[in-house]
Amino acid sequence: MRIEKTKNASRNITFGLAQKIYQIIVPFLLRTALIVYLGAEYVGLNSLFISILAVLNIAELGVGNALVFSMYKPIAHDDTKTICALMRLYKIYYIIIGAIVLAAGLVILPFIPQLIKGDVPADVNVYALYLLNLGATVLSYWVLSYKNSILIAHQRTDVSSKVLLGVNTVQYALQFVSLIVFKNYYLYLIIALASQLVINVVTAIIADKLYPKYRAKGKLPKEEIKKINSKIKDLFAGRIGSVVMINVDSIVISAFLGLVMLGKYNNYYYVVNSLVGVFTVLFNGIRSGIGNSLILESKEKNYNNFKTLTFITFWIVGFCCACLAALYQPFMNLWVGDKLMLGYGMVVLFCLYFMIIELGLSMDTFKDAAGLWKQDKYRKLICAALNLIINLILIHFIGIYGILLSTVLVSFIVDLPWLAQNVYKQIFGKKTWEYFKYILVFVLVDIAIAAITAGICYLIPVNNYLTFGAKMIICVIVPNVIMLLVYHRREEFLHARQLVFRMIRRGK
């Protein structure tokens, strides 16, 4: 069965973007309420727990992607029996994963205070808060989470997006009440826990209605399970590095610089991570379609699709980096004030960080769709180890700047070249240097656009809502006009324009 790739992608992206924009704006308001009504320490505390639990969740790494990848072929051939057996295996694995996360979380419990430098808010018990976060994580695995796999494999993540939008609306409203009326952080977390359970149950009910013939039953041949387990092991090694590399920064900041500095850092990180989240929606919306295409289409067609995706990525990255370079500091000043701001050097580092993350994400999409996990399994693990070592060294010399600088250096020198080698050689049969030669113009144009846009906005020195709006208009016009002038005759631009128009027509 051929998946309707363009139609499903446009539908997934439309609802995914609506969900992501909603989950950027409303949590931003919640974060503001958290700062105003409880204090910056709570933002730091919340960020610390999220990072710890993200590291604990390494038990899951590989299972979801490996099993969804294993569904591509049986879906393409309408093999219902195999899909049902895969769902049953997914269910079993998630029960085991939840138990592992619970056990590991309880082992870490006595050491939580040692991960926080300085005092914690006087009216909270860090152990109780940690257990609430741990409970929410464990239950997210145990309550019907495996049902979502069939939606992902069929490229119907728009269904999950609709469920999240509905449940999150109620969740956020109740959390605002918990902060503004009751000023109770415990209630804030309990509401989040309950919402996750509701999301899992509602998603499972809808998945059953859309695909009633798929039930978690049957057994796979032992050889097939061995292949899946091998993919999981390969994915685990790679994903553990990604999780550690992303989340160890918050733990190091908390341990060496304290919760207030962690709160400052995470306010900035929240902004750039929101942009990364938007990109993730785009790539998640097309990953299953790419997997289907890699099975059914020619290598040349898939390579052209990769070039088009890379071009679109650089266009959006150029626009976003220009906005970050010009608007980051004015926005932070209006939002949290001078006392919770970092230096402009961090803005430059965050722009570089964002560019590198998105370049990796576009290649990762093809790598995951092709199931190239064995060749890639040690990349993120080695990068995470290097990042941690450089973190611990630089934080003593340049403080908070060392945290992000280490990530940028390791990503640029080790991570991206390694990933490009895997994707270009294994999928397209091409040499790695061809990729970097291809993207060099895009990188230089994006950096130049960011500098030009920031320079123009710098000529408007007064910072209030009116001048911020004027700078936003400049950021919308200048980068896109420059890229249109530079790229309008490129073949990738014509292909990208056709693709976007086709997705709009079919998405209606």
Side-chain angles (χ1 to χ4, degrees):
M1 177 177 71
R2 283 179 180 267
I3 292 176
E4 296 181 275
K5 294 185 284 292
T6 304
K7 181 178 180 180
N8 286 347
S10 61
R11 181 165 49 192
N12 290 342
I13 290 170
T14 298
F15 287 102
L17 285 176
Q19 171 206 333
K20 179 54 63 176
I21 292 170
Y22 182 78
Q23 289 184 323
I24 290 171
I25 294 174
V26 182
F28 165 76
L29 298 175
L30 267 175
R31 192 181 189 90
T32 304
L34 196 61
I35 295 171
V36 172
Y37 290 98
L38 294 181
E41 293 88 349
Y42 283 87
V43 176
L45 197 60
N46 195 54
S47 301
L48 174 63
F49 287 148
I50 289 173
S51 297
I52 293 172
L53 292 169
V55 173
L56 289 179
N57 280 333
I58 59 175
E60 190 276 341
L61 299 177
V63 173
N65 280 344
L67 286 169
V68 169
F69 173 79
S70 299
M71 288 181 181
Y72 292 157
K73 187 174 181 179
I75 285 175
H77 295 92
D78 290 324
D79 187 353
T80 302
K81 183 179 178 181
T82 299
I83 295 170
C84 291
L86 283 166
M87 288 182 67
R88 179 178 177 271
L89 187 64
Y90 202 165
K91 179 180 179 180
I92 293 170
Y93 281 177
Y94 262 34
I95 291 172
I96 296 171
I97 288 167
I100 293 172
V101 171
L102 177 61
L106 293 175
V107 169
I108 291 176
L109 180 63
F111 305 100
I112 293 299
Q114 278 67 53
L115 297 176
I116 303 172
K117 182 179 180 180
D119 297 329
V120 298
D123 58 342
V124 300
N125 184 310
V126 291
Y127 297 110
L129 292 177
Y130 173 73
L131 287 173
L132 281 172
N133 280 280
L134 179 63
T137 302
V138 172
L139 288 174
S140 70
Y141 289 119
W142 284 350
V143 181
L144 300 173
S145 59
Y146 70 95
K147 295 273 189 178
N148 196 41
S149 63
I150 200 65
L151 297 175
I152 298 172
H154 277 85
Q155 209 177 357
R156 287 304 309 273
T157 54
D158 62 297
V159 174
S160 303
S161 297
K162 294 173 187 176
V163 173
L164 283 169
L165 280 170
V167 176
N168 284 161
T169 298
V170 178
Q171 173 192 339
Y172 295 149
L174 293 175
Q175 285 183 310
F176 271 116
V177 173
S178 70
L179 291 176
I180 297 171
V181 178
F182 298 104
K183 296 182 176 60
N184 191 312
Y185 189 60
Y186 292 100
L187 183 58
Y188 178 91
L189 289 179
I190 292 171
I191 293 168
L193 188 156
S195 298
Q196 182 60 57
L197 298 182
V198 173
I199 288 170
N200 284 11
V201 171
V202 174
T203 302
I205 292 172
I206 296 176
D208 285 342
K209 288 184 177 180
L210 287 175
Y211 305 101
K213 62 181 179 179
Y214 298 138
R215 291 289 184 268
K217 61 181 181 180
K219 291 185 178 180
L220 292 169
K222 289 184 179 179
E223 287 301 314
E224 186 65 24
I225 294 177
K226 285 183 180 179
K227 289 180 182 178
I228 292 172
N229 288 340
S230 177
K231 285 183 173 64
I232 290 172
K233 290 176 184 177
D234 294 337
L235 263 170
F236 179 83
R239 298 294 188 185
I240 187 175
S242 297
V243 170
V244 172
M245 191 165 178
I246 291 171
N247 292 281
V248 74
D249 291 351
S250 292
I251 298 173
V252 171
I253 294 170
S254 175
F256 287 90
L257 302 177
L259 290 177
V260 174
M261 181 57 76
L262 178 58
K264 291 180 182 181
Y265 175 85
N266 272 283
N267 285 338
Y268 278 79
Y269 183 77
Y270 177 84
V271 175
V272 77
N273 194 50
S274 296
L275 293 176
V276 172
V278 172
F279 266 82
T280 303
V281 169
L282 297 175
F283 291 122
N284 285 345
I286 63 175
R287 180 178 288 116
S288 294
I290 291 173
N292 192 260
S293 180
L294 289 172
I295 293 172
L296 300 174
E297 307 290 355
S298 68
K299 182 178 291 187
E300 188 62 29
K301 179 173 173 47
N302 283 303
Y303 180 61
N304 288 332
N305 290 340
F306 175 79
K307 289 173 65 177
T308 301
L309 179 64
T310 301
F311 174 77
I312 293 172
T313 299
F314 269 103
W315 187 296
I316 305 175
V317 164
F319 170 67
C320 290
C321 284
C323 292
L324 290 173
L327 301 177
Y328 224 142
Q329 291 296 68
F331 173 77
M332 298 304 295
N333 182 263
L334 291 173
W335 179 28
V336 297
D338 291 338
K339 293 183 179 179
L340 293 179
M341 289 177 62
L342 300 173
Y344 192 77
M346 288 296 289
V347 172
V348 175
L349 289 174
F350 269 119
C351 288
L352 293 174
Y353 169 81
F354 175 74
M355 179 180 289
I356 291 170
I357 288 292
E358 298 315 319
L359 293 184
L361 193 56
S362 64
M363 287 190 286
D364 262 325
T365 303
F366 269 81
K367 183 208 72 183
D368 288 343
L372 291 179
W373 301 311
K374 187 176 184 63
Q375 299 86 339
D376 199 64
K377 62 183 178 180
Y378 296 121
R379 174 175 59 91
K380 282 294 185 182
L381 203 57
I382 291 174
C383 289
L386 290 172
N387 182 54
L388 178 58
I389 293 170
I390 299 173
N391 261 350
L392 294 174
I393 294 172
L394 292 183
I395 198 170
H396 291 290
F397 294 98
I398 53 178
I400 192 69
Y401 289 91
I403 297 295
L404 200 53
L405 180 60
S406 64
T407 304
V408 169
L409 289 175
V410 171
S411 298
F412 182 74
I413 297 172
V414 181
D415 191 31
L416 273 183
W418 193 336
L419 178 58
Q421 166 75 8
N422 290 336
V423 171
Y424 250 57
K425 181 179 180 180
Q426 299 296 329
I427 299 179
F428 305 122
K430 298 180 181 294
K431 296 179 180 179
T432 309
W433 66 266
E434 293 182 42
Y435 171 74
F436 288 103
K437 180 182 177 181
Y438 175 68
I439 68 169
L440 179 61
V441 172
F442 299 145
V443 171
L444 294 176
V445 169
D446 282 359
I447 292 174
I449 287 172
I452 292 169
T453 307
I456 294 173
C457 288
Y458 184 75
L459 299 176
I460 310 174
V462 178
N463 190 40
N464 52 45
Y465 289 104
L466 183 62
T467 55
F468 185 80
K471 292 177 182 179
M472 286 182 64
I473 294 172
I474 292 171
C475 289
V476 169
I477 296 173
V478 172
N480 289 298
V481 168
I482 294 175
M483 284 187 283
L484 186 61
L485 291 173
V486 174
Y487 297 138
H488 71 283
R489 292 185 178 178
R490 288 189 71 108
E491 183 181 2
E492 298 92 333
F493 174 78
L494 300 177
H495 289 166
R497 187 177 62 182
Q498 292 172 0
L499 176 62
V500 171
F501 287 155
R502 191 164 66 246
M503 289 177 68
I504 292 172
R505 287 196 302 269
R506 295 190 183 183
K508 290 181 178 179

